[in-house]
Amino acid sequence: MMRFEMDWRLLALPPLALVIIKPAEARVYFTVEQVQQALLPRQILAPVPLRLTAAQQEAVERRSGARLRDELPKIWRASDGSTLFVDQVLGKHEYITYALVIDRAGAVRGLEIMEYRESYGDQIQDPSWRRNFMGKTSAAQLRLEADIPNISGATLSSKHVTDGVRRLLALNDVALR
Amino acid sequence: VVEYQLPLGFGRFGLAIGAVTTVLWAFHARADEPLFGHVYTTDLLPRGKWELAQWATASVNQSQGTYRGYQFREEIEYGVRDNFQLALYANSSYVTANRNGVEGNTSGPGVPENADPSREYSRFRFDSVSVEGIYRILSPYTDSFGLALYLRPSIGPRLFDLESKVIGQKNFLDDTLILAANVTVDQGLGKQTGNPFLPFEETGAHPRWTNASIVEVTAGASYRIAPNWFAGIEFRNDNGFRGSWFNLAEYSAFFLGPSVHYGAERFWATFTIQPQLPLGQPYTEELRATTVGHRIFGNEHTAIEFRLKAGWVF
């Protein structure tokens, strides 16, 4: 007769470990107010409510090749006609929050990483890497290792931020211009 | 040789103690983040990064009686390059068994041949030291799929072993669904104690080194169910051979079970359960004698296996 005795107390241990562990604190580089001031100083910003039709959603995903998240980005229109987006993309463990400014002509004018919570890979914060996005429009390829360099050791984060920028440029074209 | 007896009572709570040890270790330590208990992925440590990790595996129950085997691994990993990682680890084990064999004898993985077959056997021992290297050829984030090669020599007082592995990975749904598969070949020499209960003229009566090899196929799928959390399933098919070069097929055993992974900025943990499926195939008389309900037991496997891995970034 086969016996399947099992010490069920073992199953309690992984949750126990997680209770004991202090949650990771996010590295917050910018709050929303700070990023508004940093990217669009002395501009008057007006929030832009956004609701997408099914056809617009499909158009954004088709143009960008990136899936829209359930939660849409927060959007403000500046007095000079620029648009500020605060959006999130997936990091290895948690969301990466970033801000993007697209000017009146549809080109990237600013990109800042606002919150980053990963073990490593915060080189995506480096200005030299973020400069690669400046001036890019929805006509650009915007692919990692094509026109955007990969950050070795932060491949997932740099890929997802690149995908996010491509998605916002498509969203701007489809719903905001 | 580090080898000593522990009180028999230790076995009673060994499963819980082993896992608590793992948890406590995590506070001092981390390894690279495994989504699975057995299946490796192509994600490696970035260059110049260190991790410490603790593994604890509990193999529980054979055909009858009591059998619990715990394997422990203390590991340090280093990212030599972004696509090449080295690890060094120590392997130890604790076994407690009592009349668990098919014929009611005390036996099983980690129980030496010269153990008294009619009494309980318990022992903690150091097994081996391993060096592990993983080289990534393709990345699942920038190439259409991930591909890596793994090599791990191990050496111990009763073991010389070389394990090699091909690791494949494919990501879907913005990297929230990870599929991975490994093919592993393990070739080694193991020292047998000799069985004093056999007639003197029989081969197995004397201490000797024996050759064995294993081909293992593993596959897993894991989905990001929430920030920090992945849940998945993994499958394992373990094929044992006599001889270092797959000379004689001895058995094929199958496992399937769930895995859960938690990862945060400085800590991760992975827990997996692998019940043996009743699909095992013994190919020799010796293995047929230790197979019950199409599950392979004997010196090879148990009815169910639990594995907890934890790691700490520094």
Side-chain angles (χ1 to χ4, degrees):
Chain A
M1 181 68 185
M2 195 176 296
R3 291 194 309 153
F4 285 95
E5 279 182 13
M6 182 178 148
D7 199 329
W8 294 101
R9 287 168 293 190
L10 183 65
L11 298 176
L13 288 163
L16 173 68
L18 302 182
V19 169
I20 300 169
I21 292 150
K22 187 183 169 195
E25 288 175 15
R27 265 170 270 165
V28 178
Y29 298 109
F30 291 97
T31 63
V32 170
E33 292 73 22
Q34 288 168 340
V35 88
Q36 288 174 337
Q37 284 300 313
L39 289 175
L40 293 165
R42 294 180 297 281
Q43 295 281 322
I44 298 167
L45 298 175
V48 178
L50 179 68
R51 291 186 68 177
L52 295 178
T53 64
Q56 285 176 315
Q57 287 183 25
E58 194 266 329
V60 171
E61 291 185 346
R62 182 167 34 81
R63 284 186 185 208
S64 65
R67 286 194 310 159
L68 274 168
R69 293 181 56 237
D70 293 338
E71 192 177 331
L72 291 170
K74 294 183 174 63
I75 302 171
W76 293 264
R77 184 83 76 191
S79 45
D80 68 354
S82 304
T83 310
L84 170 67
F85 298 82
V86 171
D87 190 23
Q88 290 187 315
V89 289
L90 285 170
K92 191 171 179 71
H93 306 114
E94 304 198 42
Y95 285 107
I96 301 166
T97 307
Y98 68 106
L100 184 78
V101 171
I102 301 175
D103 66 18
R104 189 196 297 262
V108 172
R109 205 217 286 176
L111 172 65
E112 290 287 357
I113 305 301
M114 296 171 64
E115 287 183 31
Y116 193 78
R117 302 175 173 93
E118 306 301 328
S119 320
Y120 27 72
D122 54 2
Q123 304 96 307
I124 61 167
Q125 179 67 15
D126 289 349
S128 58
W129 184 73
R130 289 183 287 115
R131 264 198 296 275
N132 292 292
F133 293 87
M134 295 306 119
K136 293 272 198 268
T137 67
S138 56
Q141 196 176 357
L142 272 170
R143 300 276 176 183
L144 203 62
E145 292 195 331
D147 52 346
I148 303 294
N150 178 22
I151 300 175
S152 227
T155 306
L156 185 143
S157 298
S158 47
K159 178 190 173 212
H160 286 185
V161 169
T162 305
D163 292 347
V165 171
R166 205 171 60 244
R167 184 174 62 204
L168 291 183
L169 282 165
L171 175 69
N172 186 62
D173 276 7
V174 168
L176 298 169
R177 294 186 76 187
Chain B
V1 177
V2 181
E3 191 171 295
Y4 49 88
Q5 295 282 138
L6 283 173
L8 297 181
F10 179 85
R12 188 175 174 193
F13 299 114
L15 197 64
I17 288 169
V20 166
T21 304
T22 299
V23 171
L24 294 176
W25 236 92
F27 292 98
H28 304 288
R30 147 174 174 160
D32 194 28
E33 282 205 39
L35 295 178
F36 304 102
H38 292 269
V39 184
Y40 275 64
T41 63
T42 59
D43 287 351
L44 305 180
L45 279 176
R47 183 163 62 98
K49 299 291 181 182
W50 293 87
E51 283 186 355
L52 282 171
Q54 173 76 44
W55 292 30
T57 306
S59 305
V60 181
N61 289 339
Q62 290 200 311
S63 58
Q64 59 178 326
T66 304
Y67 180 87
R68 287 176 184 174
Y70 309 103
Q71 292 177 303
F72 306 102
R73 177 199 282 195
E74 292 80 42
E75 176 171 356
I76 185 164
E77 291 184 12
Y78 178 67
V80 180
R81 291 168 54 183
D82 287 324
N83 62 349
F84 180 54
Q85 165 183 302
L86 274 177
L88 176 69
Y89 42 89
N91 306 295
S92 55
S93 59
Y94 175 76
V95 173
T96 181
N98 191 19
R99 294 182 169 275
N100 54 303
V102 172
E103 293 173 351
N105 54 320
T106 298
S107 59
V111 178
E113 292 172 327
N114 62 359
D116 187 335
S118 60
R119 295 184 56 194
E120 181 170 349
Y121 174 85
S122 295
R123 185 171 68 181
F124 177 86
R125 70 185 187 189
F126 166 75
D127 290 323
S128 59
V129 172
S130 303
V131 177
E132 176 191 285
I134 306 178
Y135 177 74
R136 184 176 57 225
I137 300 165
L138 299 171
S139 164
Y141 307 107
T142 54
D143 301 296
S144 52
F145 64 94
L147 182 68
L149 300 177
Y150 157 116
L151 196 67
R152 188 199 72 179
S154 299
I155 185 166
R158 293 165 301 279
L159 174 80
F160 294 97
D161 180 80
L162 182 67
E163 186 176 273
S164 43
K165 203 185 288 280
V166 178
I167 304 165
Q169 179 178 340
K170 177 74 178 167
N171 295 3
F172 298 92
L173 304 175
D174 292 339
D175 306 308
T176 55
L177 174 63
I178 315 294
L179 268 53
N182 304 164
V183 176
T184 304
V185 172
D186 193 345
Q187 297 162 282
L189 273 173
K191 189 176 185 183
Q192 311 297 321
T193 55
N195 185 348
F197 303 98
L198 289 176
F200 181 80
E201 61 276 12
E202 286 201 20
T203 316
H206 310 288
R208 68 210 181 278
W209 288 86
T210 56
N211 302 330
S213 43
I214 289 171
V215 176
E216 187 185 66
V217 179
T218 55
S222 194
Y223 182 67
R224 180 184 175 130
I225 52 172
N228 306 105
W229 289 91
F230 275 85
I233 190 161
E234 58 188 303
F235 165 82
R236 187 158 58 104
N237 170 222
D238 179 48
N239 300 281
F241 297 83
R242 196 174 297 165
S244 294
W245 293 97
F246 325 104
N247 310 57
L248 175 68
E250 290 196 305
Y251 68 88
S252 183
F254 297 84
F255 301 82
L256 180 70
S259 57
V260 179
H261 171 76
Y262 173 85
E265 187 174 348
R266 295 182 58 79
F267 172 80
W268 58 260
T270 302
F271 181 65
T272 187
I273 303 175
Q274 289 264 288
Q276 188 180 166
L277 301 177
L279 301 170
Q281 292 290 327
Y283 300 122
T284 64
E285 276 307 315
E286 190 184 338
L287 266 294
R288 267 191 278 278
T290 59
T291 300
V292 177
H294 298 283
R295 290 179 174 88
I296 308 291
F297 295 121
N299 290 325
E300 317 306 333
H301 289 296
T302 57
I304 192 163
E305 183 191 289
F306 306 90
R307 178 171 284 176
L308 180 62
K309 305 177 185 177
W312 192 257
V313 185
F314 67 103

